[in-house]
Amino acid sequence: TWKDETSQEIWTVFLNGSMCVMLVYAILFKKPYRHFIQTVLNVCELYGGWMTFGPEWLTGSANLDTSSFLFLWVYLFFFNFLWVIIPLLMLLQSFMASISVTNKKHVE
């Protein structure tokens, strides 16, 4: 129902919104916990994207308007692709930072 969806969105806004503010702070002031927050936020974003579009695609996209090039390739594909590729790139960045720290610890 709409109440369930609204309540989910509310806690998502407060939790993820607060974490976004913490992430900006951590990036600006080079805090060591930056990559942890970045990883959590990006996993949440990818999960949310999957939960929004995955079931729709698996059931044949009955509720998605794919009738025109604009709707299918610009709105649906391109703009949602950004919500996948950017979190994946940020996860890769955090992974590489973790590997770098781990390699430094092993050398010492």
Side-chain angles (χ1 to χ4, degrees), residues 35 38-47 80-96:
H35 289 288
Q38 184 169 304
T39 299
V40 170
L41 279 170
N42 285 299
V43 168
C44 287
E45 182 58 45
L46 291 170
Y47 174 76
N80 287 295
F81 178 74
L82 295 175
W83 289 101
V84 172
I85 195 67
I86 292 171
L88 285 175
L89 290 172
M90 292 180 76
L91 280 171
L92 179 63
Q93 179 189 44
S94 292
F95 176 74
M96 297 306 289

Side-chain angles (χ1 to χ4, degrees), residues 6-57:
T6 303
S7 64
Q8 180 182 4
E9 290 298 321
I10 288 172
W11 75 263
T12 300
V13 166
F14 286 115
L15 179 67
N16 289 357
S18 300
M19 289 182 71
C20 285
V21 171
M22 290 175 14
L23 179 60
V24 169
Y25 176 83
I27 291 170
L28 291 175
F29 295 100
K30 299 183 185 343
K31 297 295 182 182
Y33 54 83
R34 172 250 178 114
H35 289 288
F36 173 76
I37 296 172
Q38 184 169 304
T39 299
V40 170
L41 279 170
N42 285 299
V43 168
C44 287
E45 182 58 45
L46 291 170
Y47 174 76
W50 170 254
M51 292 307 291
T52 301
F53 292 104
E56 196 63 35
W57 291 326

Side-chain angles (χ1 to χ4, degrees), residues 54-77:
E56 196 63 35
W57 291 326
L58 293 173
T59 59
S61 300
N63 297 311
L64 296 176
D65 185 358
T66 59
S67 62
S68 72
F69 177 85
L70 180 68
F71 289 149
L72 178 61
W73 293 106
V74 177
Y75 293 154
L76 188 60
F77 181 78

